[in-house]
Amino acid sequence: MADFAAEDKPAATPAAAGAEASSSRMVNLVSQEGEAFNVTLALASMSDLVKTMVDEEQDEDEAQEIPLPNVKSPILAKVITFCQRYKEEPMSEIEKPLKSSNMSEVVQEWYATFVSVEQEVLFELILAANYMDIKPLLDLTCACVASMIKGKTPEEIRKTFNIVNDFSPEEEAQVREENKWCEEA
């Protein structure tokens, strides 16, 4: 069982009893492979999905298990790392449309480095963020994909994402003609 309790404990601040209880209460996030990640409820509650699954009646001394069958262990570990960092230093808001294709110019360096991963991992992070309903992570990962597309031609985008062009030259010419207004904007 991975234990993220020490790193994700928030700094001591005067708080209401309910908030204090959620910061010390632990939950086990269980990955697709059955690996349990022990985190505080406060950290796990960044996920709207987890928030809805928490049993408020559960004994505080016992960590509730929250199954996340759509999230693999290495990805869940990265999601938890993101949440920990976000609690310490929230990510700056991502301007839309993106001002740059360089993620370091869009968000803080740590977040830019966090999404500087192989495409497969990036897409699994997007799926996990969407499934777990963690908006800041979904925004970050989707912005990263958008930055990979920004300023590229359709051919360059196909190459970047290994997309096969299944249009005949005639069909492609027709689509380009119908959507000429997009390129003029």
Side-chain angles (χ1 to χ4, degrees):
M1 175 180 348
D3 190 0
F4 287 89
E7 299 94 322
D8 67 350
K9 285 229 191 282
T13 57
E20 190 63 40
S22 74
S23 69
S24 61
R25 183 172 167 197
M26 303 299 288
V27 294
N28 288 325
L29 303 179
V30 183
S31 70
Q32 184 178 78
E33 299 86 350
E35 184 176 353
F37 293 82
N38 192 258
V39 298
T40 63
L41 177 57
L43 186 87
S45 291
M46 275 191 68
S47 162
D48 286 344
L49 172 72
V50 170
K51 258 194 258 185
T52 63
M53 296 173 75
V54 170
D55 179 5
E56 297 299 328
E57 310 292 311
Q58 177 97 16
D59 182 9
E60 276 197 38
D61 298 336
E62 228 178 278
Q64 179 183 350
E65 289 207 347
I66 312 261
L68 300 169
N70 295 359
V71 186
K72 296 176 183 168
S73 291
I75 299 302
L76 184 53
K78 285 189 75 63
V79 168
I80 292 167
T81 300
F82 172 87
C83 292
Q84 290 168 332
R85 179 58 179 228
Y86 192 87
K87 286 277 192 192
E88 293 168 14
E89 178 193 355
M91 180 177 68
S92 52
E93 189 165 332
I94 298 171
E95 291 181 35
K96 296 168 189 93
L98 289 182
K99 59 184 176 185
S100 171
S101 60
N102 179 352
M103 286 301 292
S104 296
E105 295 174 16
V106 176
V107 292
Q108 298 99 310
E109 191 62 40
W110 186 92
Y111 293 102
T113 303
F114 180 81
V115 290
S116 179
V117 293
E118 292 179 19
Q119 273 187 27
E120 183 180 342
V121 173
L122 180 61
F123 290 127
E124 285 191 37
L125 281 169
I126 289 172
L127 293 172
N130 187 49
Y131 171 69
M132 293 177 71
D133 202 359
I134 304 173
K135 187 178 180 336
L137 180 57
L138 188 59
D139 288 348
L140 176 65
T141 51
C142 289
C144 184
V145 171
S147 75
M148 296 165 80
I149 293 171
K150 188 171 179 64
K152 292 189 176 171
T153 65
E155 292 76 24
E156 291 170 325
I157 294 168
R158 282 190 203 104
K159 186 176 181 187
T160 299
F161 296 106
N162 298 314
I163 299 170
V164 177
N165 182 2
D166 54 357
F167 285 121
S168 70
E170 296 81 23
E171 290 172 322
E172 188 167 347
Q174 180 185 352
V175 169
R176 284 185 191 274
E177 185 60 36
E178 290 171 359
N179 295 290
K180 203 175 213 169
W181 61 271
C182 288
E183 294 174 19
E184 293 168 359

